[in-house]
Amino acid sequence: MIVVNLDVMMAKRKMSLSQLSEKVDITLANLSVLKNNKAKAVRFSTLEAVCAALDCQPGDILEYVPDEKGGV
């Protein structure tokens, strides 16, 4: 499964969800869905905007964690 570590990067950059929302022009609700690992998909344009705002790489935000069963 893919885990979104947005909260970790936001904490490292000392940025709140509302500040990030303003910088990337994405609603608080949509960012919250992403932050709480509820998103089923992420647009590259959104990922690019978030990475630019947080000065990070996509791999700093997205992490692949194999499931315990070894399946996909």
Side-chain angles (χ1 to χ4, degrees), residues 14-71:
K14 296 179 173 64
M15 189 177 298
S16 70
L17 197 62
S18 59
Q19 289 171 319
L20 183 59
S21 174
E22 287 178 21
K23 282 188 170 219
V24 298
D25 196 30
I26 297 171
T27 66
L28 276 171
N30 285 339
L31 272 180
S32 182
V33 166
L34 186 60
K35 180 177 150 290
N36 294 315
N37 284 299
K38 302 291 185 197
K40 298 294 182 192
V42 179
R43 289 188 175 133
F44 281 146
S45 59
T46 300
L47 186 58
E48 183 178 1
V50 168
C51 286
L54 294 174
D55 189 29
C56 66
Q57 294 294 314
D60 296 326
I61 298 172
L62 303 176
E63 176 185 5
Y64 171 70
V65 178
D67 68 6
E68 294 175 5
K69 299 174 191 167

